[in-house]
Amino acid sequence: MIPRVYLAGPDVFLPDPHGWAARRRAICLAHGLEGVSPLDPLPDEPADWAALAEWRRIALRNEAHLRRCDAVIANLTPFRGPSADVGTVYEIGFARALGRRVFAYANVVTKFAARTMEHAATHGGVIGSAGQVWRDADGMLVEDFELFDNLMIEAAIAESGGALVLDASEPEQRWTDLAAFERCVALAAKELQGPPSLQGPPRAEQET
């Protein structure tokens, strides 16, 4: 049976999100995977969901899609701040709790601490100490483990046996460049279609 992968990310907010979903599904299919978009209708959706508010139907539908998939491919390109889209991060945690493999990619390579300090610098400033411990204007510590994003996100990828692909796209193409996505899909296909490998630290691919 062809492995099914849930395509998480803020791509649903792009103009023509259905068109972008179709392009990503085509890339998945070319690598022997079935891509599932959050925008896809849910087969046998419970009739009583029709009485719920739209936002609740979306949330329940996305969780149902995740349960029916073998893995997640998540877009971690920073969204409206220094970190990944919060909805995407929730879906990564949900998938990890289900025991699914988590693969991820991003179209920037700057590390999380640098992005956080850049963000803080425009929101009250940052304070550094002699020990190179940085805090924002509210005195909150800036997390710095030399990771691409928050440690819980990277741990979910690592412990699931997934992979993280980073690419330095041009700023104006950070939401439309699909090169890192396709490399991530290729890695996921190799893992999901082959014999199970031991779980461990993620294989990180980076192109600058």
Side-chain angles (χ1 to χ4, degrees), residues 128-194:
S129 71
Q132 295 301 305
V133 175
W134 294 91
R135 295 182 181 276
D136 63 19
D138 294 321
M140 305 295 282
L141 182 69
V142 174
E143 178 185 317
D144 186 5
F145 291 100
E146 292 294 312
L147 297 173
F148 175 73
D149 213 308
N150 178 273
L151 68 90
M152 293 301 292
I153 302 174
E154 297 228 16
I157 299 169
E159 297 305 318
S160 77
L164 174 62
V165 175
L166 304 179
D167 201 349
S169 299
E170 294 297 327
E172 65 274 11
Q173 296 178 329
R174 69 186 184 280
W175 297 117
T176 57
D177 187 345
L178 292 173
F181 170 74
E182 183 157 13
R183 284 163 46 213
C184 189
V185 169
L187 283 172
K190 182 178 179 181
E191 291 296 319
L192 296 172
Q193 296 166 349

